Amino acid sequence: REYASQPVSLVGAVVQPGIYQIKGQKYLLDMVAMAQGLTGAAGNTIQVTRRGRSVDGQPVPAASSGIIRIDVEALFEQGKTELNIPIYAGDVINVLQAGSIFVVGELNSPNQYILRNGRNVTVTQAVALGGGFSPDAKASDSMIIRIHVDGTREEIPVDPERIFQGEADDIAMLPNDILFIPASKAKPALRRILDVSIGVATAVATYGLR
């Protein structure tokens, strides 16, 4: 009767988010299956918010309630069964969405790319995602534009060609980073596209909009 009267909420990057009535003991993987699995936008963290219960489901003062974070890759791909935690009535399961990076400028396929399962990519991988350099690219003047949570902007010079040649370290890109590959000649349209990407990345980094 207690399980039937207190639902479990499943939200975020699942195929069928919603409120599920559970009967009997359920585990995290059971709940994900009930929601028809994760979507392609899922990140690498599942957040279980437990109010008024301890990790083992026993009633505790509200002040002791908390958030349990589960690593998606460790649970689904590495098979760490201890992460398949029991789910109790009243839990809220939130599958956090993956971050993304922006690849902008003189590439064959500039775009915004989702970091699947929360896995970051390097500069050379980002260039590959963007389909490689266009004939007008001036790769030596490339930069990573990094937006911090307080809205401040950092510009990190990179030279992908030197990285490809083994003359410089490959740099890991973080969620909301923008890799900008300029043109050998000034192109106002590229600047406008870059400004739009910076605006989107800033909104996501500072307000969590996506």
Side-chain angles (χ1 to χ4, degrees):
R1 285 195 298 270
E2 177 186 359
Y3 278 116
S5 63
Q6 298 185 40
V8 170
S9 299
L10 213 159
V11 298
V14 292
V15 176
Q16 293 186 358
I19 300 173
Y20 293 85
Q21 300 287 345
I22 61 174
K23 296 181 180 180
Q25 182 62 70
K26 299 295 182 184
Y27 293 83
L28 180 57
L29 288 177
D30 297 327
M31 300 305 304
V32 171
M34 290 173 67
Q36 304 300 310
L38 309 182
T39 70
N44 199 39
T45 302
I46 297 176
Q47 184 173 283
V48 179
T49 301
R50 182 157 292 157
R51 299 183 178 89
R53 290 183 181 273
S54 64
V55 172
D56 63 3
Q58 297 302 312
V60 296
S64 301
S65 302
I67 296 174
I68 306 166
R69 292 178 174 84
I70 303 296
D71 185 291
V72 170
E73 183 177 1
L75 175 61
F76 284 84
E77 298 183 17
Q78 299 174 13
K80 293 187 177 181
T81 56
E82 67 271 18
L83 298 179
N84 187 24
I85 62 173
I87 298 299
Y88 299 97
D91 285 354
V92 177
I93 304 168
N94 183 11
V95 180
L96 302 184
Q97 292 194 9
S100 60
I101 61 167
F102 302 81
V103 182
V104 179
E106 289 296 332
L107 295 120
N108 293 311
S109 300
N111 211 330
Q112 178 179 357
Y113 294 95
I114 294 174
L115 299 172
R116 303 291 180 183
N117 293 329
R119 293 172 177 164
N120 292 341
V121 300
T122 63
V123 167
T124 56
Q125 290 171 329
V127 170
L129 286 172
F133 303 122
S134 75
D136 293 333
K138 190 178 182 181
S140 60
D141 287 346
S142 301
M143 71 174 70
I144 295 172
I145 300 172
R146 180 161 294 165
I147 311 297
H148 297 283
V149 293
D150 61 359
T152 57
R153 191 168 74 194
E154 178 183 3
E155 295 184 356
I156 306 169
V158 294
D159 187 342
E161 290 184 331
R162 291 191 64 217
I163 297 173
F164 281 122
Q165 294 167 6
E167 299 175 356
D169 293 333
D170 207 354
I171 299 174
M173 298 184 64
L174 303 180
N176 303 316
D177 276 359
I178 302 166
L179 176 63
F180 177 60
I181 310 295
S184 55
K185 296 182 180 180
K187 293 184 178 180
L190 276 188
R191 186 70 228 184
R192 290 195 294 271
I193 294 170
L194 177 59
D195 288 343
V196 170
S197 299
I198 290 173
V200 174
T202 300
V204 174
T206 55
Y207 300 107
L209 302 177
R210 184 173 292 113

